[in-house]
Amino acid sequence: MLVHEPSPAFVGRHHHLSLLAADARRTVPEGARTVLVLGGAGVGKSRLLTEHLRRVPGTPSAVGGCLELGAEGVPFAPFTALLRELVRSGGPAADPTGDLGRLLPDLKGVSGAVVESRARLFEAVLTFLEERAAPAGLTLVIEDLHWADASTRDLLVFLPRNLGSAPVHLLISVRTDDLHRTHPLRGLLPELERLPGVRRLDLELLSKDEVGAQATALSGRELDPADLDLLFERSGGNPLFVESFLATGHDPAGAPLPEGLRDLLLSAVEPLPEPTRRILGLVATAGTRVRHTLLASVNRRAGSSDVELDAALRPAVDARILRSTADGYAFRHALLAEAVHTDLMPGERVRAHRRYAEALQAGVERMPERERALQLAHHAHCAHDQPLALSAAWRAADHAAAVDAYPEHLGLIERVLELWDQVPDAVERVGLPRDQVLVRAAEVSLVAGSPRRAVSYATEGLDELGVTGFRDPHGARRESFERASRLRHARGRALKEMGRDGALEDLADGLVLLAHDHPDATAVGATMAATLMMRGHHDQAARMARRVLDSARALGDRRSEADALITLGGLSDPLDTDEGLALFGEGIGLAREAGDVPVEIRGLVNLSGHLKNLDRLEESARVSLEGMRRCGELGLTRTQGGAFACGLAVTRFHQGRFAESEELLSRVTEGGVTWARALTLRMQLDLYRWRPDALRATIDEFHRALPARVSSPVEHLPVHGVLQQLAVYEGRLLDAGRMTRDLLHRTAGERSRTPLAQGLYRSTLVRHTSVAARLAEEPGEEARQLAREVRELLDDMPPVTEHSDSHARLAADAWLAPDPEESLALFEAAMAAVAPTGHVVLGAEYELAAAEAALRAGRRDRAAAHVDAVHRLAVRHGMALFERQTRALRARHALPDPDGHAATSPAPERAALPAGPTPAAGSPPAGLTPREVEVLVEVARGSSNREVGEALFISGKTVSVHLSNAMGKLGVRNRTAAVARARELGLV
C-alpha cells in the first residue's frame, strides 16, 4: 500500500475519525460499507483517510488514486493500483475466469484473455475483493474521484450494489470545488448516496481554535491572539493553507501576503535546491504521482544520472512536498502538483512531455503495456508530436477496448479523428481509411450510449465515401459497398434508438449493398426487422425477422438469431402468450451467451413491455428490476438503465404508486426515445395529480426532445392521447372529439393483432367511447356530426382480444350502451375484470364511470358507494383529479359523504369534472336532455353562464345553447321563467 508520511498535526477531525472507525467495525457483522469523504481542496480528505488507515493496522488495506489525464486517461486506474497492491501483499489470488488479468496482466497464472462483456470483468473484481475481505475485513481507499474516468465510475457504482455481506470498507475522497455544473459526479453522487450502506462525510474548514491547535503542533509554540487572528483570516481555516503560511518560517504578522494560491503553495518549493525544483517539475508533468522507473528514464533523457535523481528527490521528500509510494512518488497534495506544473514555462512543459513520450516509446521496466500505451497517448499529445500522438491514441484505443472502457475508447478514437488531417500518413499509421475509423467511432458511440454522436460520425463517413441521401445505395464506389453498408447500419441503429426518421431508409440501403450470404447481412436484417416493428410495420417486420432467423441459424450467427427471436416475441399473438414468452426467453438467453449486450438489453426491455400489455404488471416489474440489475452488472446503469427505470415507472403508475413512479423517472437521463417516453409518463402523472400547467410544459419539452417532423409517429400517439384527455377534463368536448376522430383515423389502418397495436388501441379505446357518449349529449350539429364519425370509426376497428383485455371491451360497451342499467352492469363487470390485474388507475376510472351510470339509472345508493370508493382510492394514491371529480359529483347530485351527510351545497371548487351524461334520477320530462337539466340546476343556483360552464366544465357558449334549447322545450322566454318552470316539474 502507499507509504504515507502524515503531518504531525492532526486536529479538528476526531469526530470524523470516530465515524469512520464505527463504520469499519460494522462491516464484519453487517457487510460492506461505503463512505464518501467530500470537501474542498486542501481541507484534509487524504490526511483523514491516512490517519484512519494508521489507526486500524490489523485490517488489510489498499489505496488507489484517480489520474488527471483527460480523455486518454487510464481506464480503471485506481482499481488496477489497489488490486496490484493486494496481490503483492500475499494471500489468495484466485481468478478462475482469467478476466482479472485484463486489469492486472502481471497477476500470476492469468492469461489476460479478452471477453466481450464488462459483466465478467466486474464480477471478477467483485469475487477477488470478496475473497480478500474474508474473514477479517478489507479497507479500500479510492482518492480523487473527481478525476475518475467513466469506466472507473461505472465499476464504483457496481461494487456497493453487489458487495453485500462481504466485510469491505470502501472509502472514497472527492474534491467538491471541482464539481462544476456539468461534471459527471453531479449525477453520480446522489445515485451512490441512495444505496444501502453508503454514508456521506463532509469535511468543513477548521475553526479558529482548530487552526490555533494546528499552528501550535507545527511550530512548537502557541501563537499570540493577534497572530492567530491573522493566520485564521489568511488561511480561511484550510489546513493546507495553514501549513503553507507557517512553512515560510516567519511570523504570520510579518510574512508577505502571497498574490494568490499558487504563490502560497510555491513558497515551500522556492527554498529547495535547483535540481530538486527541476525534478519536481518533471514529476508534476506526470500528474500527481509517477513510477520511479519512468521518472528515472525521463531524468536520464534530461542528462542526469540516477544518483543525481536520488539526491534531488531527498530534499523534496524531507520538505514533505513529495511522499514515497510502493513504486514511485506522489505529491503530498494535488494542489501542490498543480502549482508546480503551472509554474513551468510553456517550453519547459513541452520538453518534459516530449521526454516522457520518448521514455514511454522506448519501454519502461515493470510498467504494464496498457498503462504505457495510454500514458504515451497523453504525453505525445501534450508534446504536440502529432504523428506519434495519433499512432499512440489508436493503440491506446485498442487497450481501452480490451477492458470494455467504452467512454475512454471513444475519446481516444475521437483524438485520432481530431489529428487525422494534421498527419499526412495517417492511413498507414492506423491501417484503415478514415471512413472506417468513423465506422468504429459510430459503433463505439452506440455502445457508450451516445446515439447522436453515432449519427454524426456515420454521416461524416458516408460523406467521405460520396454517399448522400437515401434510395441511392450504389452511390459509393463498388469497392466501398461493404464500408458504406457498415456506416448505414450504424446510423440506422442510432436513428432507431433516437426514434428519428431515416432509420429504415439507412437499413434498407445498407442491406441492398450486401450479398445475401454476406456475414453482415443478417445483422443488418435483424436491426431492420426490429425497426419495422418499432415503426408499426408489423407484417413486414415478421417476414424480415423470420428470414433473418433462418439465415442466422444457417450461418451460425447467434447474435442475429437472438435479435430476430426477440423481434418475433414482440410480434407474437397476444392470444398465444406461451409462444411469445418462449421466443423472448430463447432470444435473451442466446444474446447473453453471445455477449451481445445491446440485444440482451433490448430483449429485457421489450419483454417487460410485452408483459405489461398482457396486464401482467408484477411480472413486468420483475423483468424491469432484472434489467436494472443487469445494467448494474454490466456497468451500464447510466447509459442503458434509464429504459428499465422508465418501464418500471410506467408499471408503478398503473398500480397507483405515483411517488415511486416519479422517483424512478428522476433516474432517466435526458436524450433519446427513453427520455421522450419518460416525458409522456410525466404528462400522465401531471394529469392525474391535476397539474395542467406542468402538463403543458412537459408536452412542450417532449416536442423539443422528439420533434414530430423527424420522429416516429408511433412515439407521438401517447401525447395525442393525453391532449385528448386534457380537453375532456377542461370541458372542450368539441376539441376532444376532433382529436378522437384523428386518432382513430391513424389507428384504422392497423389490423394486425400485435402487442404494440393492441396496447396503443386498448389504452385509448375506453376514452374514445367516452368521448363519443359525451358528444351525443352535446347540443349543436358539429357535436352530433363528430359523434357519428367517431361511432363509425369505432365500429370499423378490430375487436380487442378477450384473454386479458375484456375489461377494456366491457367499459367501451358500457359507455355506448343506451340503457343506463345495462351501462351500470357493464361498468361493474369491467371493474371486476380489471381488479386482479392491479390496474389501480383504470379501476378508479371504471368505478367513477359506474357512479355516473348509476345516477342515470336512478340508483343513488349504488352511485354513492362507487363515489366513496373512488374518493378513497384518489386520496390514498394522490390522484387529485379523481378527488375533485368525486367532490363535484356529491355536490351536484346531493350524494351523502362517507359520514352519511348529504352534500346539498355547490362544490367549493369548480372541479375538473369531465362533461358527461350524469343527470338526476329518472327520465327528464318535457323532452329535456340530462345535460339540459344539469344546466337548469346550476342556473337555479344563481350562476352565470360562465360559472355554469366552469361547474360543468363546458364552454359558456355551450351553456347558452343548452339553456336556449331548454327554454324552447319548456315554452318560456327567459332564464327566470325557465327556472320557475323547472321547479314546478321538480327538476331543481
Side-chain angles (χ1 to χ4, degrees):
M1 61 181 275
L2 290 175
V3 181
H4 293 280
E5 298 175 4
S7 162
F10 183 79
V11 298
R13 305 296 185 214
H14 296 288
H15 172 64
H16 301 87
L17 270 180
S18 298
L19 291 174
L20 290 178
D23 244 24
R25 287 192 296 271
R26 293 175 63 184
T27 58
V28 173
E30 298 179 20
R33 308 282 298 176
T34 300
V35 182
L36 302 169
V37 180
L38 284 79
V43 80
K45 300 179 294 298
S46 295
R47 180 70 180 84
L48 171 67
L49 296 176
T50 300
E51 188 68 16
H52 172 69
L53 292 179
R54 190 177 68 82
R55 297 189 184 200
V56 287
T59 303
S61 62
V63 180
C66 303
L67 306 177
E68 188 183 22
L69 290 180
E72 60 284 291
V74 181
F76 305 113
F79 289 103
T80 299
L82 62 85
L83 288 171
R84 180 178 290 113
E85 191 172 324
L86 289 171
V87 169
R88 287 173 177 171
S89 66
D95 180 23
T97 66
D99 292 295
L100 204 61
R102 297 163 65 191
L103 292 184
L104 205 59
D106 52 345
L107 185 61
K108 292 181 180 180
V110 171
S111 64
V114 175
V115 296
E116 297 178 84
S117 169
R118 283 177 145 189
R120 286 178 58 181
L121 173 62
F122 283 20
E123 192 68 29
V125 174
L126 175 65
T127 302
F128 183 85
L129 296 178
E130 287 173 335
E131 291 177 354
R132 280 307 177 92
L138 174 66
T139 300
L140 302 176
V141 175
I142 294 181
E143 295 186 306
D144 302 319
L145 187 66
H146 46 280
W147 287 335
D149 55 280
S151 296
T152 290
R153 294 194 297 269
D154 290 337
L155 181 50
L156 200 56
V157 172
F158 169 81
L159 287 175
R161 289 179 185 273
N162 293 279
L163 279 167
S165 60
V168 175
H169 198 204
L170 181 58
L171 309 176
I172 305 164
S173 71
V174 184
R175 189 198 292 183
T176 51
D177 45 11
D178 271 8
L179 303 186
H180 51 77
R181 184 176 60 84
T182 60
H183 196 287
L185 284 190
R186 285 281 190 174
L188 176 65
L189 289 176
E191 182 180 341
L192 284 170
E193 289 174 44
R194 283 195 294 264
L195 298 176
V198 176
R199 176 203 291 271
R200 174 174 174 145
L201 198 60
D202 289 283
L203 299 192
E204 306 296 338
L205 297 168
L206 299 179
S207 67
K208 185 165 71 172
D209 289 342
E210 290 166 341
V211 168
Q214 182 186 12
T216 300
L218 289 170
S219 63
R221 65 180 182 83
E222 189 172 341
L223 298 183
D224 64 48
D227 286 348
L228 177 57
D229 288 344
L230 186 57
L231 179 60
F232 180 64
E233 178 185 345
R234 288 185 171 186
S235 68
N238 186 299
L240 178 65
F241 299 168
V242 171
E243 287 189 36
S244 299
F245 274 118
L246 294 177
T248 60
H250 300 290
D251 290 339
L257 185 65
E259 293 182 4
L261 174 60
R262 190 192 69 177
D263 293 332
L264 170 63
L265 296 172
L266 288 176
S267 63
V269 176
E270 289 169 355
L272 298 175
E274 189 280 331
T276 299
R277 295 199 304 273
R278 182 183 64 81
I279 290 298
L280 286 174
L282 287 178
V283 176
T285 302
T288 57
R289 64 194 69 211
V290 67
R291 287 175 175 270
H292 175 81
T293 50
L294 176 57
L295 180 63
S297 179
V298 171
N299 180 63
R300 287 192 291 272
R301 290 179 182 279
S304 180
S305 69
D306 290 352
V307 173
E308 290 170 323
L309 173 63
D310 292 340
L313 284 167
R314 176 56 60 186
V317 173
D318 291 343
R320 298 186 56 256
I321 305 298
L322 294 180
R323 55 182 169 83
S324 299
T325 69
D327 55 7
Y329 312 94
F331 276 92
R332 181 170 57 87
H333 198 283
L335 287 178
L336 278 168
E338 293 170 17
V340 170
H341 191 253
T342 304
D343 195 49
L344 295 175
M345 299 296 288
E348 291 179 298
R349 288 194 209 114
V350 171
R351 285 193 296 274
H353 282 297
R354 184 179 299 121
R355 286 170 183 149
Y356 271 102
E358 291 168 353
L360 289 162
Q361 199 172 12
V364 178
E365 184 182 358
R366 293 193 297 277
M367 177 177 275
E369 180 59 26
R370 179 169 58 89
E371 182 182 342
R372 187 184 74 85
L374 291 161
Q375 288 216 31
L376 176 57
H378 168 70
H379 288 293
H381 183 69
C382 293
H384 309 309
D385 186 340
Q386 291 154 348
L388 179 59
L390 181 142
S391 302
W394 186 249
R395 287 194 297 272
D398 287 335
H399 286 282
V403 290
D404 295 314
Y406 308 130
E408 293 73 29
H409 186 188
L410 179 59
L412 288 159
I413 294 174
E414 289 176 330
R415 173 64 51 76
V416 170
L417 292 169
E418 175 190 324
L419 295 170
W420 193 274
D421 291 337
Q422 303 170 51
V423 180
D425 59 344
V427 175
E428 289 74 18
R429 287 177 175 272
V430 169
L432 290 175
R434 188 171 184 274
D435 62 88
Q436 288 305 92
V437 178
L438 288 163
V439 168
R440 188 165 167 183
E443 291 173 346
V444 177
S445 294
L446 279 167
V447 180
S450 300
R452 294 180 193 278
R453 289 157 87 178
V455 170
S456 177
Y457 289 130
T459 301
E460 191 176 347
L462 289 167
D463 289 343
E464 191 104 349
L465 293 176
V467 179
T468 58
F470 298 116
R471 300 176 185 85
D472 182 23
H474 298 285
R477 298 181 301 277
R478 179 168 295 277
E479 63 271 19
S480 303
F481 281 3
E482 183 175 323
R483 288 149 59 184
S485 179
R486 288 186 66 192
L487 288 161
R488 290 281 200 196
H489 188 199
R491 190 168 71 178
R493 288 170 60 197
L495 290 170
K496 168 182 168 286
E497 291 300 315
M498 296 167 64
R500 296 298 178 92
D501 284 339
L504 284 175
E505 291 84 351
D506 263 328
L507 295 167
D509 285 358
L511 200 56
V512 168
L513 289 169
L514 301 174
H516 74 280
D517 57 348
H518 192 283
D520 289 346
T522 52
V524 179
T527 306
M528 190 170 183
T531 308
L532 285 164
M533 180 181 73
M534 185 176 174
R535 298 300 294 267
H537 306 296
H538 303 105
D539 291 338
Q540 293 169 270
R543 286 195 297 272
M544 176 65 75
R546 283 191 288 269
R547 189 160 67 242
V548 168
L549 186 61
D550 292 340
S551 298
R553 285 172 172 168
L555 295 170
D557 181 355
R558 295 174 71 79
R559 295 184 177 194
S560 297
E561 181 183 354
D563 209 351
L565 285 166
I566 288 166
T567 298
L568 289 170
L571 293 165
S572 61
D573 191 327
L575 289 172
D576 194 348
T577 57
D578 290 340
E579 180 193 17
L581 295 178
L583 288 166
F584 272 116
E586 186 181 358
I588 292 168
L590 277 175
R592 190 170 295 186
E593 289 174 15
D596 193 325
V597 172
V599 173
E600 179 188 349
I601 295 297
R602 172 178 169 253
L604 290 169
V605 169
N606 288 9
L607 175 57
S608 175
H610 183 76
L611 289 166
K612 201 177 289 117
N613 286 332
L614 297 174
D615 279 340
R616 296 162 70 162
L617 296 185
E618 272 309 313
E619 291 177 70
S620 172
R622 284 196 292 272
V623 173
S624 292
L625 289 167
E626 164 66 9
M628 294 168 76
R629 186 192 67 78
R630 278 294 286 163
C631 285
E633 283 185 348
L634 297 164
L636 298 174
T637 298
R638 284 179 300 286
T639 57
Q640 305 290 336
F644 295 106
C646 185
L648 184 56
V650 171
T651 302
R652 297 312 186 209
F653 164 78
H654 289 318
Q655 294 171 323
R657 295 158 67 169
F658 285 6
E660 188 176 345
S661 181
E662 289 175 330
E663 192 279 327
L664 285 161
L665 286 181
S666 69
R667 306 184 193 181
V668 182
T669 55
E670 187 170 346
V673 172
T674 299
W675 174 247
R677 291 173 182 170
L679 290 175
T680 63
L681 180 55
R682 286 188 193 280
M683 295 173 208
Q684 293 282 353
L685 287 163
D686 288 337
L687 182 71
Y688 286 96
R689 290 211 189 268
W690 195 241
R691 301 184 294 217
D693 290 342
L695 190 158
R696 287 185 170 89
T698 305
I699 289 173
D700 290 341
E701 189 175 357
F702 175 91
H703 287 303
R704 287 193 296 272
L706 214 61
R709 67 183 183 280
V710 294
S711 306
S712 169
V714 172
E715 299 296 338
H716 286 256
L717 285 177
V719 183
H720 297 310
V722 172
L723 287 169
Q724 175 204 41
Q725 290 177 271
L726 183 62
V728 169
Y729 293 132
E730 291 185 336
R732 298 181 286 108
L733 271 180
L734 290 178
D735 288 343
R738 296 185 195 101
M739 282 186 255
T740 301
R741 178 189 59 197
D742 293 344
L743 285 169
L744 288 171
H745 270 305
R746 294 181 189 201
T747 315
E750 179 53 67
R751 300 292 183 181
S752 61
R753 301 168 79 182
T754 64
L756 176 61
Q758 288 289 324
L760 290 172
Y761 177 42
R762 183 192 57 178
S763 66
T764 55
L765 173 63
V766 178
R767 294 179 188 128
H768 295 334
T769 55
S770 74
V771 171
R774 297 178 195 284
L775 281 170
E777 296 294 323
E778 283 291 287
E781 179 56 32
E782 184 177 1
R784 286 192 291 272
Q785 177 62 28
L786 273 173
R788 285 194 295 271
E789 291 181 33
V790 170
R791 285 296 301 267
E792 289 171 2
L793 286 165
L794 286 169
D795 290 341
D796 194 44
M797 294 299 292
V800 175
T801 55
E802 294 297 320
H803 75 293
S804 66
D805 299 314
S806 57
H807 59 80
R809 183 75 265 168
L810 288 166
D813 291 343
W815 274 112
L816 300 179
D819 178 21
E821 288 284 357
E822 181 187 0
S823 178
L824 174 59
L826 286 167
F827 275 128
E828 290 179 338
M831 289 163 46
V834 81
T837 70
H839 266 287
V840 170
V841 176
L842 274 181
E845 287 183 345
Y846 294 166
E847 187 118 40
L848 190 64
E852 296 180 7
L855 287 169
R856 292 199 300 276
R859 302 292 193 91
R860 291 177 56 80
D861 289 345
R862 295 265 284 279
H866 286 309
V867 168
D868 290 346
V870 175
H871 187 80
R872 286 193 297 270
L873 281 172
V875 172
R876 184 185 312 146
H877 297 284
M879 296 184 284
L881 177 58
F882 289 161
E883 188 178 352
R884 290 161 65 91
Q885 288 175 288
T886 56
R887 286 174 177 166
L889 273 178
R890 284 193 183 121
R892 285 164 51 196
H893 297 280
L895 295 174
D897 62 23
D899 297 324
H901 304 296
T904 56
S905 59
E909 303 176 63
R910 295 303 187 183
L913 181 68
T918 56
S923 300
L928 293 169
T929 67
R931 177 59 84 194
E932 289 162 359
V933 172
E934 287 187 327
V935 169
L936 288 170
V937 170
E938 295 296 330
V939 171
R941 290 171 174 162
S943 302
S944 66
N945 283 6
R946 180 182 61 79
E947 291 169 333
V948 173
E950 290 176 354
L952 301 180
F953 240 87
I954 57 179
S955 67
K957 180 180 178 182
T958 302
V959 171
S960 177
V961 173
H962 280 307
L963 190 55
S964 297
N965 290 343
M967 287 189 293
K969 293 174 182 179
L970 294 173
V972 296
R973 305 182 67 176
N974 58 55
R975 60 197 295 138
T976 303
V979 169
R981 179 67 177 136
R983 285 200 176 102
E984 291 174 7
L985 295 171
L987 297 174
V988 298

